[in-house]
C-alpha cells in the first residue's frame, strides 16, 4: 500500500512558497500543501481582490506540476463575494490547485469551491475543523458535511482534511476527539485522501532569550500516532498533516507588508521527539549572534547535516559564517524546508 502524502498547512506567502520549491523533486511529489489565504479584515473590495490575486498566484507558482489545495477559510460573507469574483472557475483552469471548503463557511465560498470542482472535474476537499474539546457546540456535525457532499454529482471524488488546530501538551484528548470525528464522517462517502492536521510548533516562550535553546515536545506527531494505533479499520489510510514550523494560529493572522515584524526572529529545527527554537536578532550588525544561534542548532546530537536539505545547508553555512544573517523570510524558509523534508522522509519510513 502506498504511503499517504504529507499535508502541511502553509500560508500563501513568498517564504512558504520558496520553502516548498526548496524541496527536492522526489519530496515535492510526496507533499501536498494546503495553501491558506490570509485573513484581510476590513479591506475594501478593490485592494482585497488584489491581495487575493497575489496570494493565490504565490500558491499557483509554487505548484507548476504537482497538485496542492487552495483554501480561504477566514472570509466573511462580504469577502467571500470578492473571493468568488477574483478566483472565478476560469482562474483555476490549467493550474494544479484544487478547491477546498467546509461546513459553516459563507455560501459564496462554498458555491465557488463546489462549482470549480464540478467544472474542472477536480476532487473537492472538505476541511472540517475540530479546534477544541468534543461537545455540542464544537463537534463537527455530520449532517452539515453530508449536505455539502450532496451538492456534488454522484460519485464525484472528495477528500477529507480533519483540522484539529493547535495540539499542545495541554490537550491530551486530541487523539480521542479525532477518532470520534472520523467515526462520524468517514461513513458519509467513499473518501479519497483522508488527512488529520494539527499544529504542534509552539509560540516562543515569554522568557525567550538569545543564546538559549527552547525545546518543546512534538505533541501533534504523538497525537497522530495515537490515532494510527486506534482499533479502527481506516487508520492505515490516514495521512498526516501539520502547520509546518509555525503555530496553528499563524495562518489566522493578517499578513503584514512593508515590514512591521518584531526586531528579532526565530530559528526552528525539528527532531524525532522535539521542536527546537532559538532567538535571533534582526539586522546585519548582529551577524555574530546569528551565527551563534545557528551553531546551537547544528550542535544538536540529532542534527542531520548539511546534505539533509537546503534548510540544514543554510544553518551550516551560517554556523561557519558564510552568507548573510537573513531576515524573517529567510528564517521561515529554511525552517520549513528542514521540517517538511524530515517529516516527509519520516512518513516514508
Amino acid at each position: 500500500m502506498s504511503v499517504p502524502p504529507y499535508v502541511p498547512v502553509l500560508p500563501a506567502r513568498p517564504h512558504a512558497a520558496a520553502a516548498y520549491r526548496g524541496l527536492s523533486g522526489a519530496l515535492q511529489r510526496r507533499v501536498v500543501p494546503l495553501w491558506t489565504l490570509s485573513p484581510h479584515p476590513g479591506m475594501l473590495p478593490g485592494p482585497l481582490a488584489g491581495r487575493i490575486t497575489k496570494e493565490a498566484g504565490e500558491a499557483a507558482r509554487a505548484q507548476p506540476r504537482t497538485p496542492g489545495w487552495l483554501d480561504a477559510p477566514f472570509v466573511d460573507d462580504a469577502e467571500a463575494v470578492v473571493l468568488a469574483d477574483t478566483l472565478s472557475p476560469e482562474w483555476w483552469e490549467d493550474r494544479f490547485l484544487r478547491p477546498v471548503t467546509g461546513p459553516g463557511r459563507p455560501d459564496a465560498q462554498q458555491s465557488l469551491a463546489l462549482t470549480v470542482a464540478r467544472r474542472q472535474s477536480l476532487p473537492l476537499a472538505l476541511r472540517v475543523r475540530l479546534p477544541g474539546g468534543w461537545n455540542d457546540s464544537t463537534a463537527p456535525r455530520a449532517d452539515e458535511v453530508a449536505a455539502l457532499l450532496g451538492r456534488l454529482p454522484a460519485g464525484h471524488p472528495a477528500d477529507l482534511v480533519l483540522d484539529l488546530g493547535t495540539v499542545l501538551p495541554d490537550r491530551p484528548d486530541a487523539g480521542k476527539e479525532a477518532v470520534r470525528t472520523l467515526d462520524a464522517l468517514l461513513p458519509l462517502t467513499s473518501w479519497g485522501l483522508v488527512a488529520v492536521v494539527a499544529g504542534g510548533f509552539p509560540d516562543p516562550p515569554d522568557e525567550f532569550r538569545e543564546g538559549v535553546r527552547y525545546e518543546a515536545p512534538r505533541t501533534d506527531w504523538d497525537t497522530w500516532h495515537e490515532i494510527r494505533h486506534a482499533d479502527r479499520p481506516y487508520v492505515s489510510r490516514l495521512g498526516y498533516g501539520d502547520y509546518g514550523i509555525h503555530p496553528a494560529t499563524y495562518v489566522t493572522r493578517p499578513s503584514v507588508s512593508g515590514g512591521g515584524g518584531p526586531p528579532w526572529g526565530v530559528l526552528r529545527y525539528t527532531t524525532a521527539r522535539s521542536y527546537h527554537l532559538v532567538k535571533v536578532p534582526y539586522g546585519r550588525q548582529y551577524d555574530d549572534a546569528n551565527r551563534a544561534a545557528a551553531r546551537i542548532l547544528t550542535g544538536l546530537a540529532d542534527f542531520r547535516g548539511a546534505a539533509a536539505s537546503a534548510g540544514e545547508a543554510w544553518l551550516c553555512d551560517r554556523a561557519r559564517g558564510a552568507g548573510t544573517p537573513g531576515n524573517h523570510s529567510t528564517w521561515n524558509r529554511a525552517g520549513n524546508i528542514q521540517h517538511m523534508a524530515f517529516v516527509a522522509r519520516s512518513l516514508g519510513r
Side-chain angles (χ1 to χ4, degrees):
M1 182 176 179
S2 62
V3 177
Y6 163 44
V7 180
V9 178
L10 299 177
R13 302 182 191 178
H15 68 79
Y20 179 73
R21 289 193 295 267
L23 297 174
S24 68
L27 288 178
Q28 283 186 7
R29 290 188 290 273
R30 289 156 56 182
V31 177
V32 180
L34 200 169
W35 299 101
T36 301
L37 300 181
S38 304
H40 302 291
M43 187 172 285
L44 294 173
L48 177 60
R51 189 62 65 87
I52 289 172
T53 299
K54 179 179 179 181
E55 293 186 3
E58 287 285 357
R61 287 189 293 275
Q63 307 275 168
R65 292 177 296 275
T66 55
W69 288 301
L70 179 64
D71 193 15
F74 306 114
V75 292
D76 60 21
D77 290 335
E79 294 165 340
V81 173
V82 178
L83 174 79
D85 289 340
T86 306
L87 302 184
S88 65
E90 292 73 26
W91 182 90
W92 300 75
E93 293 179 358
D94 301 321
R95 289 186 166 95
F96 283 86
L97 295 173
R98 297 172 177 177
V100 183
T101 192
R105 305 279 187 95
D107 183 69
Q109 196 278 330
Q110 292 179 339
S111 297
L112 172 64
L114 287 157
T115 300
V116 170
R118 289 192 297 258
R119 291 190 185 179
Q120 307 295 336
S121 298
L122 293 173
L124 175 70
L126 295 187
R127 185 177 184 178
V128 179
R129 297 184 66 247
L130 183 65
W134 180 283
N135 57 56
D136 291 341
S137 63
T138 61
R141 293 180 54 184
D143 58 345
E144 296 179 38
V145 177
L148 285 170
L149 293 170
R151 295 168 66 180
L152 289 170
H156 192 97
D159 299 325
L160 175 63
V161 178
L162 177 58
D163 188 351
L164 302 182
T166 300
V167 176
L168 298 177
D170 60 356
R171 193 178 170 192
D173 294 330
K176 298 181 181 66
E177 296 158 3
V179 170
R180 292 180 65 181
T181 306
L182 293 168
D183 287 346
L185 298 181
L186 288 184
L188 296 178
T189 189
S190 297
W191 299 99
L193 174 65
V194 179
V196 179
V197 172
F201 243 107
D203 279 307
D206 293 337
E207 69 278 10
F208 207 29
R209 302 191 309 274
E210 289 179 31
V212 178
R213 175 175 55 85
Y214 177 70
E215 183 176 359
R218 292 181 66 190
T219 311
D220 55 337
W221 183 249
D222 292 338
T223 297
W224 183 73
H225 280 281
E226 178 187 344
I227 297 167
R228 291 265 298 182
H229 284 88
D231 184 19
R232 298 295 191 276
Y234 54 73
V235 294
S236 62
R237 60 183 291 230
L238 294 179
Y240 168 81
D242 59 29
Y243 281 76
I245 60 161
H246 288 109
T249 54
Y250 182 79
V251 294
T252 71
R253 304 167 188 167
S255 59
V256 179
S257 59
W264 54 270
V266 185
L267 298 185
R268 299 174 173 90
Y269 197 67
T270 307
T271 59
R273 300 297 305 165
S274 302
Y275 294 128
H276 302 270
L277 296 81
V278 181
K279 186 175 183 178
V280 285
Y282 177 73
R284 289 175 178 266
Q285 68 270 33
Y286 299 113
D287 181 75
D288 288 344
N290 184 276
R291 292 174 57 192
R295 285 198 296 270
I296 290 175
L297 294 181
T298 58
L300 289 169
D302 38 8
F303 182 74
R304 294 178 289 277
S309 79
E312 278 91 353
W314 184 86
L315 284 170
C316 289
D317 285 345
R318 276 280 72 218
R320 62 184 177 84
T324 62
N327 53 28
H328 294 280
S329 292
T330 307
W331 305 327
N332 287 337
R333 176 183 58 81
N336 261 325
I337 291 174
Q338 64 81 23
H339 176 85
M340 290 192 290
F342 179 58
V343 171
R345 291 184 178 121
S346 298
L347 292 170
R349 292 192 291 269

